[in-house]
Amino acid sequence: DQQVWLLASKTYGHLVDRMLATLAAAGDAAHVHIRWADDMRDTSQGEWDFARTVFGFNMRKLLVLHEAHLESLRHLTSSATAPVPAVVLLDLDVVLFGGWADVL
């Protein structure tokens, strides 16, 4: 199984649903980790407050990436013979097709 990591908020729940449907339709085995966060901005407004929200959003993405990395290290130390699955950090608007995992 590929380890897929997502960062989402409730406002973007419809994109999470679409991402999960895309993964299911692709047919490749994947274990999905979703880290839920508070909304970073009012989605009815088209802009980011660069002084606060962009920094906070990128910090959250880095924390998810760090957690994914630590999880892969835990897997590596728990089984010396099993292959280490790839860690994939995706945006919610990515569309996957069958065979995506083989490309990794």
Side-chain angles (χ1 to χ4, degrees):
D1 287 4
Q2 303 302 325
Q3 302 295 308
V4 176
W5 294 76
L6 306 171
L7 176 63
S9 66
K10 292 190 185 335
T11 302
Y12 290 89
H14 63 288
L15 289 176
V16 172
D17 294 341
R18 190 171 70 186
M19 168 60 77
L20 295 176
T22 300
L23 278 169
D28 297 303
H31 183 91
V32 180
H33 306 266
I34 302 174
R35 294 301 173 253
W36 294 99
D38 293 333
D39 288 331
M40 297 294 295
R41 66 183 173 104
D42 181 354
T43 56
S44 65
Q45 308 284 324
E47 304 168 4
W48 286 89
D49 175 0
F50 284 99
R52 288 181 292 130
T53 55
V54 171
F55 175 79
F57 179 69
N58 286 320
M59 186 64 173
R60 287 180 182 176
K61 287 193 300 186
L62 286 171
L63 287 172
V64 171
L65 182 61
H66 183 69
E67 182 182 0
H69 180 233
L70 289 176
E71 180 65 22
S72 69
L73 291 176
R74 187 186 66 79
H75 178 83
L76 183 64
T77 59
S78 67
S79 175
T81 58
V84 177
V87 173
V88 182
L89 182 63
L90 294 176
D91 281 334
L92 297 177
D93 57 354
V94 173
V95 176
L96 298 170
F97 298 95
W100 70 270
D102 295 333
V103 176
L104 298 177

